[in-house]
Amino acid sequence: MEPEQPIGASTAGDGSAPVPRRRWWRWVAAGALVVVGLGGWVVFRTWQAYSALTDARATIADTLQLSVQDLLDGGTDRIAGAVDRLQEQSGRARDAVDDPVFSLATRLPFVGADLSGVKTIATTVDGIATQVLPPLVGLAGVVDPAVLLPQDHQFDLNPIIAAAPGLRHADDEVRSYLRQVADIRRDDVMTAIGSAADELSDRLTTVSSVTSRAATVTELIPPMLGSEGTRRYLVLFQNLAEARSTGGMFGSYAVMTVDHGRIVVGGQGATQRTIDRFDAPVAPLSADELNLYGLNIATISMDVNFTPDFPRAAALFSLMYQKRVDPAPIDGAIAVDPVALAGILKGYPPIDIGGTTVAASNLASFLLSDIYRMFPDDRDKTQRDTFTAAATGLALESLMSPPTDAARALRGARQGIADHRLLVYSAHPDEQSTLADIGLTGELPAVDVAGRPTFMVALADRTFRGSKLSFYLSGATTLTAGSCATDGSREVTMRMDLTFAGPASGLLEEISGSGPKAYTLTDEFRVYAPTGATFTAADVDGTPVEITHGSDFGREAGLFQTDFPPQSRKTVTLHFELPAPGVDDPGSVTPEVRIPPAVTAWPVDAPEFDACR
């Protein structure tokens, strides 16, 4: 009979020595200690990462709630104060998740997805701190008003050129981090990690809008200011007293030449005096343009902006200028109205215009009203037109001198851009596309963003034999959503309460118009529905009006006229039908209403409403 083998002893017939029971348990215990130790180390490293990310979260919440305007308003100082702190916090988190044991544990079943999610979040936060924020801090030298505004006819392009590569790299990094965070499978990780990933994604989206805009602008400005060769631009002064679809008639102009940041202003002219009208269109017009705007936009220089498409109007005006004044190439156009000009001039000393001291406080009234009373006996308008062209040229020229308050001047310029009072067009297609993307051209979007329909109403003064009566028109607009139809569509109404404060007598004919409708403002309304929507009807004080229907910008549009007798009030109501929302559309609708700028801003009330389902 064979002797009983001890438990754990080898039964192999290879002659190897039996393994004693105690040694077997020693290996098991050692292995267990290793597993427990490694598990404990992973837990410790996870706690380190969690602790550092918790600290970083508060810093990010404060630092990354920024916009381009924040940066322009000195937000770089706030970012600079937080970057060092965030880099220390994110560095601790990055050290923890870069640990070889932690990295190995991300491949384990059950817990691996969670650990991998933590690692992605930690490396993303560290990337923000080290790759994204430093170039934004470096914007301090670029957004300094002394850099962004000309000094003695010269823009300093060097800081802008130097900042561009770093900002483009930062934008590329943000986009990469967004993709990495999006790749975290929310169904595979703990709720807390998924929520952290969602919050970080929201912050990155905000930052991406800033880095994208900053990189684009710093790449765009130098060539437009002549870093690669001389540029020539028309500066178009919009006369808001005679309304057009972009704001006001292009009453006068100047030519601005820029070479490596050096600016020369000259070639001032009155539009009607020097360009006036053509017997045949200067460019072909589409059937839609003929229907909504007529031949005027291509034959009469004062009417090119019956269309609200500023790039189209500017291109047509440039052609007219080249045919009638100077055939040399034009690289683009900049439109500005007296209200925007006055906002910028708040940062400059008063200027002398023909013996009259004009400051920001009275510039708009001087150019839009007072200037007509200075030449009451000028029947052929020669003196007044010459004076107006010189006055607007002097106002522009004053912006080339050192400002008394550069920050205030820059705030005025930004407000003009926000109000669509400052518009820019480039004859270079790639630049024009970029200008449109960042909202400097005044164009309607090619396609409205889901849940953000854009409604637009543009006015054009059609008073008999011309007038400047738009100076006296003001209004307020309210948008109201109706109930949902069974098919998911809904009616939306826009109410425009308009006040015409023009007097019944005492005005120069140039202001009042002439003939049987003198002192009566005739306004042409051009209405553009959101993309996919329908402009169905309009009424004035409850009485339906006849509409000429058409389309432009890929939108349904309509045209009608109404008269405003002296000291009158009218309510214009516009009716639209919004289509049923798509399956991917958000649950709420945030409408945008665009009314081209007038002498005084019109308040707009367009509250958010629930989407039909």
Side-chain angles (χ1 to χ4, degrees):
M1 180 175 176
E2 295 287 335
E4 185 177 346
Q5 293 275 3
I7 296 175
S10 172
T11 58
D14 58 1
S16 60
V19 180
R21 185 192 319 178
R22 282 176 296 179
R23 184 178 300 174
W24 186 88
W25 280 111
R26 192 178 301 138
W27 283 108
V28 170
L33 287 173
V34 169
V35 171
V36 171
L38 291 176
W41 182 251
V42 170
V43 171
F44 173 67
R45 282 302 207 179
T46 303
W47 174 83
Q48 284 185 316
Y50 172 81
S51 177
L53 290 174
T54 299
D55 294 339
R57 183 187 181 207
T59 305
I60 289 173
D62 176 63
T63 306
L64 298 191
Q65 289 288 18
L66 77 165
S67 66
V68 171
Q69 183 154 330
D70 291 332
L71 297 178
L72 292 173
D73 287 335
T76 52
D77 293 338
R78 178 168 59 83
I79 297 174
V83 167
D84 289 343
R85 184 167 68 256
L86 183 60
Q87 287 180 346
E88 185 276 327
Q89 294 161 345
S90 67
R92 286 191 282 121
R94 183 69 182 258
D95 286 345
V97 299
D98 279 351
D99 181 274
V101 176
F102 187 99
S103 297
L104 184 63
T106 61
R107 303 177 184 178
L108 294 173
F110 304 113
V111 298
D114 291 320
L115 297 177
S116 181
V118 170
K119 182 168 185 173
T120 297
I121 292 171
T123 54
T124 297
V125 171
D126 190 55
I128 293 171
T130 60
Q131 301 297 316
V132 176
L133 293 182
L136 292 181
V137 172
L139 269 178
V142 178
V143 301
D144 185 337
V147 173
L148 293 179
L149 294 174
Q151 304 285 327
D152 295 323
H153 289 254
Q154 180 72 52
F155 280 102
D156 185 1
L157 301 182
N158 292 325
I160 301 172
I161 294 172
L167 289 168
R168 179 55 63 194
H169 173 73
D171 186 53
D172 291 341
E173 290 294 295
V174 170
R175 294 174 187 275
S176 175
Y177 298 142
L178 269 169
R179 291 191 294 270
Q180 292 175 27
V181 174
D183 287 341
I184 297 175
R185 296 175 59 88
R186 305 311 196 258
D187 293 340
D188 294 342
V189 298
M190 297 170 55
T191 301
I193 296 174
S195 297
D198 290 339
E199 181 180 343
L200 183 57
S201 181
D202 290 341
R203 303 289 187 193
L204 286 171
T205 299
T206 300
V207 175
S208 178
S209 67
V210 176
T211 56
S212 175
R213 178 72 64 89
T216 297
V217 169
T218 52
E219 291 169 345
L220 179 67
I221 289 176
M224 289 196 69
L225 291 180
S227 66
E228 299 172 3
T230 303
R231 294 290 185 94
R232 294 176 76 241
Y233 299 99
L234 289 172
V235 182
L236 309 174
F237 296 97
Q238 299 205 70
N239 188 338
L240 301 174
E242 189 165 348
R244 293 291 185 269
S245 295
T246 63
M249 178 187 71
F250 296 162
S252 59
Y253 61 84
V255 179
M256 184 172 72
T257 303
V258 192
D259 184 16
H260 290 85
R262 183 71 180 172
I263 304 170
V264 176
V265 177
Q268 294 91 344
T271 299
Q272 187 171 10
R273 181 69 44 197
T274 59
I275 302 177
D276 201 15
R277 61 188 65 212
F278 295 79
D279 293 332
V282 296
L285 298 177
S286 69
D288 286 334
E289 288 177 319
L290 286 170
N291 182 42
L292 288 176
Y293 316 120
L295 279 174
N296 283 20
I297 66 169
T299 57
I300 301 178
S301 57
M302 292 77 70
D303 293 344
V304 291
N305 54 338
F306 276 174
T307 171
D309 184 349
F310 175 67
R312 177 61 164 161
L316 289 169
F317 191 93
S318 298
L319 283 172
M320 293 177 177
Y321 174 83
Q322 289 173 294
K323 287 178 178 291
R324 191 65 46 93
V325 181
D326 183 352
I330 295 294
D331 292 290
I334 302 165
V336 62
D337 67 36
V339 176
L341 197 55
I344 301 170
L345 284 174
K346 288 179 180 179
Y348 291 83
I351 56 178
D352 181 272
I353 300 179
T356 301
T357 299
V358 178
S361 58
N362 68 334
L363 177 70
S365 61
F366 177 79
L367 292 177
L368 297 176
S369 180
D370 299 345
I371 204 168
Y372 296 98
R373 299 188 184 94
M374 296 175 66
F375 305 95
D377 299 323
D378 183 22
R379 296 297 180 183
D380 67 356
K381 310 174 189 176
T382 302
Q383 291 177 306
R384 195 207 66 236
D385 285 349
T386 301
F387 185 87
T388 300
T392 50
L394 282 171
L396 179 62
E397 181 72 23
S398 70
L399 302 182
M400 303 299 110
S401 60
T404 54
D405 188 337
R408 194 175 188 190
L410 191 59
R411 284 196 298 271
R414 294 205 310 273
Q415 189 62 53
I417 292 171
D419 294 340
H420 299 291
R421 296 182 183 276
L422 268 173
L423 304 173
V424 183
Y425 156 72
S426 174
H428 302 262
D430 54 338
E431 293 176 356
Q432 176 58 27
S433 176
T434 301
L435 289 168
D437 288 343
I438 60 180
L440 286 175
T441 63
E443 296 171 87
L444 284 165
V447 178
D448 289 338
V449 176
R452 296 188 63 86
T454 300
F455 303 79
M456 182 173 183
V457 181
L459 276 68
D461 188 339
R462 300 292 293 218
T463 303
F464 185 70
R465 293 198 179 175
S467 77
K468 300 297 179 287
L469 292 176
S470 298
F471 181 81
Y472 299 100
L473 184 69
S474 61
T477 302
T478 303
L479 196 75
T480 304
S483 58
C484 296
T486 55
D487 64 355
S489 64
R490 79 184 324 149
E491 182 184 46
V492 174
T493 58
M494 183 189 299
R495 174 182 169 131
M496 304 179 72
D497 294 306
L498 305 173
T499 300
F500 177 59
S505 63
L507 298 176
L508 296 173
E509 185 178 294
E510 177 67 13
I511 300 175
S512 66
S514 60
K517 295 176 69 174
Y519 291 92
T520 294
L521 171 65
T522 299
D523 256 335
E524 200 162 62
F525 288 71
R526 289 182 176 84
V527 182
Y528 302 84
T531 52
T534 305
F535 173 40
T536 57
D539 58 76
V540 178
D541 291 334
T543 301
V545 297
E546 184 176 348
I547 299 171
T548 299
H549 287 280
S551 63
D552 202 3
F553 305 101
R555 301 165 182 267
E556 285 203 13
L559 168 69
F560 63 92
Q561 284 189 5
T562 192
D563 289 341
F564 293 87
Q567 300 294 311
S568 62
R569 295 174 182 269
K570 291 195 175 186
T571 296
V572 174
T573 306
L574 311 173
H575 303 268
F576 303 87
E577 183 178 289
L578 287 184
V583 292
D584 297 326
D585 287 1
S588 61
V589 178
T590 306
E592 178 184 355
V593 174
R594 287 201 193 178
I595 307 292
V599 178
T600 57
W602 294 12
V604 173
D605 181 20
E608 180 179 294
F609 53 87
D610 291 334
C612 296
R613 293 299 181 190

